[in-house]
Amino acid sequence: MIWILWHRRLGDLNQMQELAKALGLPFVVKKLRFRKPFYAPIANLTLDKSKSDSLQAPWPDLLICAEALTSVVAQSLKKQSAGHIKTIALARPSGSARDFDLVLTTAQYRLPQVPNVVELNLPLTALHEGSKNSSSRVAVLIGATSPPDQFDESAALKLVGELNSAEGSFDIITSPRTTAVVADILVEGFKAPHKVYRWRPGVENPYARLVAEASAIIVTSDSVSMLADAMVARKLVQVYRLPHRLSLSQRIVEWFYKQSPENWIFKSGIIEPTADRRLLIERLISQGHVSWFGTEIKNAKPFNRMDDIQTAVKAVQKLL
């Protein structure tokens, strides 16, 4: 039996369910709720047990988590079970990756190269391959500021100018994270033959359909999950490079992390370095899967999502 600890991010839930399904084992999603502040080192204190699903024995054999808060709870449950539970973390858990039985991560998190850490090419996305009967239109997947990537008014205006100067007809698709200011600029800046699909709550989202039908896909560099969706669709994929900017405090943390990544302040989860998505993108570029916007893919090679899934399954089977 598998328990999936889920807090609030749907993308994380999809990844955890993909892994559980690939393992072929029964699983239960345990929805957790936390009180503010959402700060991982005190997650066991802010866990709202009255509003969360029960976490009482009988214990599962495997426990999967994918957020900092839930990773702290996962470690607590492992101790309660006297080590019976095997803990699997996706992406970057809070604190030291060495404390988990297995961590399935990607390059941007810069985790230590130790036996229990397995680096995948991409997150375990749940979108399926695209339609073979593609339209002639290019899908443009729009994200939002996610440090160090900045998607502000200036970046939005630059994107509009560059795409309006490029060849092709674009379907521009905003996301729940896209700010109203950026969405307004896109709606105002793109005219026929381009079309902007603005995400709104309660309105049907054409995201999956447009990704599946696109002849090619452009993804803003702030979102690894959207990049994964685009690559799984097996289309020509380019990444639109957003400007990078770190605050003073983030620059200090980055400098400190480069000097001593194994320092206790990082291993305890008190401070976490900013993810560097450029590392993941450059890895995919070197493999011939994607290119930066405005450049050609060198030695193009189709991406097979099953490679990562099989790698993940083998790592879990070895653990068991």
Side-chain angles (χ1 to χ4, degrees):
M1 170 62 75
I2 299 173
W3 281 6
I4 290 175
L5 299 189
W6 178 48
H7 178 209
R8 56 181 178 175
R9 295 202 294 251
L10 188 57
D12 289 333
L13 177 61
N14 289 338
Q15 288 185 59
M16 292 186 286
Q17 289 179 323
E18 278 290 292
L19 177 58
K21 291 173 183 176
L23 291 169
L25 299 174
F27 64 90
V28 175
V29 176
K30 296 287 186 175
K31 181 74 169 70
L32 305 186
R33 295 190 180 277
F34 295 87
R35 296 181 293 271
K36 293 182 179 181
F38 296 148
Y39 183 49
I42 60 172
N44 285 316
L45 296 177
T46 58
L47 176 65
D48 191 336
K49 296 180 180 179
S50 66
K51 296 181 179 179
S52 300
D53 292 337
S54 172
L55 298 176
Q56 300 300 314
W59 307 114
D61 301 300
L62 289 176
L63 193 155
I64 306 176
C65 58
E67 296 178 66
L69 291 168
T70 58
S71 71
V72 172
V73 175
Q75 289 298 80
S76 177
L77 292 174
K78 182 182 174 93
K79 291 179 181 178
Q80 292 180 44
S81 73
H84 171 80
I85 297 174
K86 299 292 186 183
T87 53
I88 301 174
L90 305 187
R92 179 174 62 193
S94 177
S96 175
R98 301 174 191 269
D99 294 336
F100 291 79
D101 294 292
L102 177 65
V103 179
L104 300 171
T105 190
T106 45
Q108 76 268 29
Y109 295 116
R110 297 176 286 174
L111 295 187
Q113 296 181 354
V114 293
N116 67 309
V117 174
V118 175
E119 191 172 280
L120 306 175
N121 290 305
L122 285 171
L124 301 174
T125 180
L127 275 192
H128 300 294
E129 292 186 7
S131 168
K132 294 182 180 180
N133 298 317
S134 300
S135 71
S136 61
R137 300 178 68 82
V138 176
V140 183
L141 312 184
I142 301 294
T145 292
S146 182
D149 293 87
Q150 300 295 316
F151 203 168
D152 53 16
E153 181 177 353
S154 174
L157 289 170
K158 183 180 178 183
L159 181 147
V160 169
E162 291 185 5
L163 290 188
N164 276 331
S165 299
E167 295 182 0
S169 299
F170 300 114
D171 287 325
I172 299 94
I173 313 157
T174 68
S175 70
R177 297 187 302 115
T178 307
T179 64
V181 170
V182 168
D184 288 342
I185 290 173
L186 300 181
V187 170
E188 181 65 26
F190 287 111
K191 307 300 180 184
H194 312 314
K195 185 172 182 179
V196 178
Y197 294 84
R198 184 170 186 166
W199 184 90
R200 297 185 186 278
V203 177
E204 183 180 0
N205 185 359
Y207 176 90
R209 175 179 62 81
L210 293 174
V211 167
E213 295 177 355
S215 60
I217 301 174
I218 299 171
V219 187
T220 54
S221 60
D222 63 284
S223 175
V224 172
S225 62
M226 291 196 307
L227 176 58
D229 290 342
M231 290 180 60
V232 169
R234 298 176 73 84
K235 306 294 176 67
L236 181 70
V237 178
Q238 293 188 322
V239 181
Y240 183 87
R241 193 197 303 257
L242 293 170
H244 276 224
R245 187 162 56 249
L246 290 173
S247 66
L248 176 60
S249 61
Q250 289 170 330
R251 292 199 298 271
I252 293 172
V253 169
E254 182 65 16
W255 180 88
F256 193 32
Y257 183 73
K258 287 181 177 179
Q259 307 308 309
S260 181
E262 293 293 304
N263 189 285
W264 70 269
I265 202 167
F266 299 113
K267 293 173 69 175
S268 66
I270 294 176
I271 294 177
E272 290 187 348
T274 303
D276 189 349
R277 284 171 288 273
R278 292 172 298 183
L279 295 175
L280 180 144
I281 295 167
E282 291 291 352
R283 170 175 170 163
L284 296 174
I285 290 173
S286 70
Q287 295 172 342
H289 296 315
V290 306
S291 68
W292 290 111
F293 175 71
T295 64
E296 294 184 1
I297 295 178
K298 297 180 180 179
N299 303 316
K301 180 182 177 182
F303 177 75
N304 184 357
R305 70 188 292 265
M306 293 308 299
D307 290 343
D308 276 341
I309 292 177
Q310 290 171 359
T311 298
V313 168
K314 288 179 180 178
V316 177
Q317 290 174 338
K318 182 178 179 181
L319 173 64
L320 294 177

